[in-house]
């Protein structure tokens, strides 16, 4: 049976960066506080680029990397919580920008778990034989949803987009697990037209227990152990969360690549941006085993086991 293999990746980060020192000019915080609590040093912030612009640029780069033409795409899925329009959806905007005329296009919102849910959806369409070539994108302009007077949240987030071209092949996505708990919605909330509010400690506790739990469950389901995995590509929210997951899975920190120091938390874009960075630097080798995992508002969480 065919599965979904990632053929190529691409990403886009706005040129404009905001350092922790820059933030200490607008809220009562410090570089030291932000770095030690989160691992974040600076983040990219969109200036003029929309979510769809960033998504389209990441898409062009992923298509070029994979050698696929936009016209060959059957579907475009965009994971985002920060679209620049309520309609048309971001995926349709990307379609128009890149000329993917035959693609079916829709957005999906699962907050920071969005890319995982979108990739699982793409894999399911491919495994069912419905589509062959799917472009999966995570794109966010979180700077548009942040309360720049709230030091508890504005220090965390960044903007950007990451994309993956997936195609029907024998090797690729092996399995996935995901979950949601709508009762915990208030923990991380953003009303329409308003800004993000968060109970940071609740999110922290949830993340450090749920991510290892779902990763272990996924590995067990596939008769694999944590040692069998070459890289854990986790949602880039906080270095302390990732370090804790590494300890709980008893796996060395080298297996947990990070770029949150320079990107901050880009929500649904964080996993595909990191994936693209690793791919382009030659760290990912054909045949390696990867686990992608993350958590987000909803609350939502998920993990994907795949061969590179
Ligand atoms: N600078 C200086 N002081 C601050 C800042 C800041 N930027 N933000 C909060 N503080 C203060 C608080 O006011 C509080 O002061 P008080 O003790 O006088 O009341 C003190 O620091 C401690 O605040 P806490 O909220 O307890 O700080 P904590 O150690 O929990 O760190 C943080 C906060 C970094 C948000 C942490 O809870 C966290 O990372 N949580 C995970 C949340 C997360 O990653 N969310 C990402 C979005 S969700 C997602 O990606 C799905």
């Amino acid at each position: 049976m065919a599965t979904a293999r990632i053929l190529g990746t691409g990403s886009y980060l706005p040129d404009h960066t905001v350092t922790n020192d820059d933030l200490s000019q607008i809220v009562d915080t410090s570089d030291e506080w932000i770095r030690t609590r989160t691992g974040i040093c600076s983040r990219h912030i969109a200036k003029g680029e929309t979510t769809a612009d960033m998504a389209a640029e990441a898409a062009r780069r992923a298509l070029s990397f994979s050698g696929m033409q936009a016209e060959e795409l059957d579907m475009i899925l965009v994971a985002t919580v920060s679209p620049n329009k309520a309609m048309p959806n971001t995926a349709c905007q990307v379609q128009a920008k890149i000329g993917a005329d035959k693609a079916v296009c829709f957005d999906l919102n699962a907050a920071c778990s969005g890319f995982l849910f979108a990739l699982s959806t793409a894999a399911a369409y491919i495994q069912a034989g419905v589509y062959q070539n799917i472009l999966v994108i995570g794109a966010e302009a979180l700077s548009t949803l942040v309360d720049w007077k709230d030091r508890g949240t504005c220090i965390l987030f960044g903007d950007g987009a990451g994309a993956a071209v997936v195609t029907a092949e024998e090797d690729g996505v092996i399995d996935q697990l995901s979950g949601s708990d709508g009762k915990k919605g208030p923990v991380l909330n953003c009303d329409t037209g308003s800004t993000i509010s968060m109970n940071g400690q609740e999110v922290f506790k949830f993340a450090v227990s749920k991510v290892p739990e779902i990763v272990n469950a996924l590995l067990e389901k596939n008769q694999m152990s944590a040692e069998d995995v070459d890289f854990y590509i986790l949602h880039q929210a906080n270095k302390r969360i990732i370090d804790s997951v590494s300890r709980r899975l008893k796996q060395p920190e080298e297996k947990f690549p990070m770029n949150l120091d320079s990107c901050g938390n880009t929500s649904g874009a964080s996993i595909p941006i990191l994936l693209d960075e690793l791919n382009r630097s030659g760290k990912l080798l054909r045949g390696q085993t990867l686990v992608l995992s993350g958590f987000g508002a909803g609350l939502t969480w998920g993990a994907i086991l795949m061969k590179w």
Side-chain angles (χ1 to χ4, degrees):
M1 190 179 65
T3 186
R5 189 166 93 79
I6 295 185
L7 265 191
T9 56
S11 59
Y12 176 84
L13 292 164
D15 284 340
H16 179 61
T17 56
V18 173
T19 65
N20 294 344
D21 284 333
D22 294 334
L23 287 175
S24 71
Q25 308 292 311
I26 55 171
V27 288
D28 182 12
T29 190
S30 66
D31 176 54
E32 204 263 333
W33 195 97
I34 301 171
R35 260 190 302 110
T36 52
R37 300 283 173 125
T38 69
I40 299 166
C41 302
S42 71
R43 65 289 287 144
H44 297 260
I45 299 292
K47 261 200 163 176
E49 305 101 323
T50 66
T51 301
D53 293 334
M54 295 189 284
E57 192 48 38
R60 286 185 199 101
R61 293 173 186 182
L63 284 167
S64 152
F65 193 107
S66 63
M68 190 179 284
Q69 303 301 313
E71 303 79 44
E72 296 175 77
L73 291 171
D74 301 308
M75 172 173 260
I76 301 176
L77 287 175
V78 177
T80 185
V81 288
S82 49
N84 50 296
K85 290 173 187 281
M87 56 186 177
N89 65 40
T90 316
C92 281
Q93 295 178 66
V94 171
Q95 175 186 33
K97 286 174 190 288
I98 67 173
D101 294 344
K102 75 167 183 179
V104 174
C105 305
F106 65 94
D107 289 7
L108 176 157
N109 176 345
C112 306
S113 311
F115 181 80
L116 296 169
F117 284 24
L119 183 55
S120 295
T121 304
Y125 271 111
I126 287 174
Q127 277 156 12
V130 181
Y131 296 123
Q132 292 254 308
N133 300 324
I134 304 183
L135 177 61
V136 186
I137 304 172
E140 304 285 7
L142 291 169
S143 58
T144 62
L145 301 181
V146 160
D147 176 355
W148 290 100
K149 294 191 205 74
D150 176 15
R151 67 178 182 172
T153 54
C154 77
I155 56 148
L156 298 173
F157 299 105
D159 299 337
V165 174
V166 301
T167 194
E169 276 194 22
E170 271 176 32
D171 258 352
V173 171
I174 298 168
D175 200 2
Q176 66 85 31
L177 282 178
S178 33
S180 310
D181 183 358
K183 291 197 293 298
K184 300 248 172 68
V187 169
L188 188 46
N189 184 66
C190 184
D191 289 339
T192 307
S194 188
T195 52
I196 296 171
S197 65
M198 177 182 76
N199 180 333
Q201 292 190 2
E202 280 301 311
V203 176
F204 196 98
K205 277 189 269 172
F206 158 73
V208 297
S209 65
K210 199 47 118 178
V211 173
E213 182 188 311
I214 196 165
V215 169
N216 276 327
L218 182 60
L219 291 172
E220 207 171 298
K221 187 170 165 229
N222 289 277
Q223 288 98 43
M224 290 174 77
S225 73
E227 286 72 31
D228 298 329
V229 177
D230 294 295
F231 284 114
Y232 292 89
I233 300 181
L234 303 189
H235 170 48
Q236 303 287 296
N238 184 316
K239 182 176 188 304
R240 288 191 295 143
I241 294 176
I242 296 173
D243 288 344
S244 164
V245 174
S246 144
R247 284 193 301 274
R248 285 181 194 219
L249 291 175
K250 300 191 178 61
Q251 292 299 296
E253 59 184 31
E254 299 76 52
K255 285 192 178 186
F256 295 78
M258 287 185 228
N259 65 2
L260 55 80
D261 57 329
S262 61
C263 293
N265 177 351
T266 57
S267 189
S270 87
I271 288 177
I273 291 172
L274 180 59
L275 205 53
D276 184 46
E277 225 174 74
L278 296 167
N279 193 18
R280 282 172 196 264
S281 64
K283 295 212 173 79
L284 300 181
L285 304 173
R286 187 86 207 260
Q288 279 177 335
T289 302
L290 308 185
V291 165
L292 279 43
S293 182
F295 60 94
L299 295 173
T300 56
W301 60 93
I304 293 176
L305 174 66
M306 64 190 294
K307 283 276 178 211
W308 188 250

